[in-house]
Amino acid sequence: MRHLWLLALIAFGSSLFSGVLTLPEAHPGKPSVATTPAVGGNGGGTGGGVGGGETSTDYSEYDEEEPQRAPGNLAKSTAGPKLPLPYFDQPKVDMYVGDNGSSVKVDCPVKNYNAQHHAILWYKDNSAISNGNTLFSSVYGLDTNFTLTVPVAANATDGQKYSCHVMPPDVRREVTIHLGPEPSTPAPATTRPTPAAGSAPTGQDCGLWLVLFLAALQLAVRF
């Protein structure tokens, strides 16, 4: 009977003071608190009080990953200065070799040449004979200014073509070698001008007038 009275008293107290035996609801936006009940000693049972346990706070919902940003020195690319384009004043040149000439020097006078960004190649017709300071044939010569020495053999043909290429952007200077002396330019023909009507008398007319004057003077002296 004693146990029945205790159960009835507990049921009556829970219905009358319902807020005492219920836990408060968790508010939104606040971290949830997990409680771990404390374990009693050897002589007692399990403790049910909240104050005697350990509390742990979960902040996982507040841990947001920040977006990764690229460093400032890698985000922007800087372009280097623009180089002027190489060019030739005379893209096509004719050279003449005399009968006694054994070789001829062909230069490559390129403008705006930069050794760090450009390379010079020599070609005979469509065959490469040099790349920079490297020659592919020992019959030719090449100096530090990329001047090519071309041998002139006895059986050489007239009109040999050599070209100097500047890479990039493949600017060319074509040189045509002719055998024999350079042809001289003929002088323009001179024509004697015809005197216009009413112009001053020429030397022939002056002589005629002089003869007439002497004849008149001789007749005056005689008479």
Side-chain angles (χ1 to χ4, degrees):
M1 292 295 292
R2 183 180 299 177
H3 294 290
L4 293 176
W5 279 105
L6 289 176
L7 292 176
L9 182 60
I10 292 172
F12 178 77
S14 61
S15 61
L16 184 61
F17 304 97
S18 59
V20 177
L21 300 179
T22 58
L23 295 176
E25 296 181 357
H27 295 281
K30 295 183 178 180
S32 59
V33 178
T35 60
T36 304
V39 180
N42 296 330
T46 303
V50 178
E54 298 178 357
T55 62
S56 62
T57 304
D58 186 12
Y59 295 98
S60 60
E61 61 181 355
Y62 293 95
D63 296 335
E64 297 181 357
E65 296 183 357
E66 296 182 358
Q68 297 181 356
R69 299 179 180 179
N73 57 348
L74 298 179
K76 298 180 181 179
S77 60
T78 57
K82 186 176 181 181
L83 296 175
L85 294 177
Y87 68 96
F88 292 100
D89 290 334
Q90 295 180 337
K92 291 187 178 182
V93 179
D94 292 328
M95 298 187 66
Y96 295 87
V97 183
D99 297 335
N100 298 327
S102 59
S103 64
V104 59
K105 291 184 177 294
V106 186
D107 58 352
C108 184
V110 60
K111 302 296 182 63
N112 295 336
Y113 171 74
N114 192 321
Q116 296 181 354
H117 300 87
H118 301 138
I120 293 181
L121 294 81
W122 276 104
Y123 280 79
K124 179 183 179 183
D125 297 331
N126 295 324
S127 301
I129 58 179
S130 74
N131 184 0
N133 294 322
T134 304
L135 282 170
F136 302 148
S137 177
S138 59
V139 300
Y140 299 99
L142 191 67
D143 60 8
T144 56
N145 295 325
F146 302 101
T147 300
L148 185 68
T149 301
V150 179
V152 180
N155 57 350
T157 58
D158 186 41
Q160 297 181 3
K161 294 184 181 297
Y162 292 85
S163 57
C164 174
H165 296 226
V166 181
M167 305 291 292
D170 195 9
V171 181
R172 306 179 184 184
R173 181 177 189 256
E174 185 178 285
V175 180
T176 304
I177 299 178
H178 301 280
L179 301 178
E182 183 177 359
S184 58
T185 304
T190 58
T191 57
R192 187 175 182 178
T194 303
S199 61
T202 60
Q204 185 177 1
D205 296 336
C206 292
L208 180 60
W209 282 104
L210 183 59
V211 172
L212 293 176
F213 175 76
L214 292 176
L217 182 61
Q218 186 178 4
L219 290 174
V221 173
R222 181 177 297 181
F223 294 101

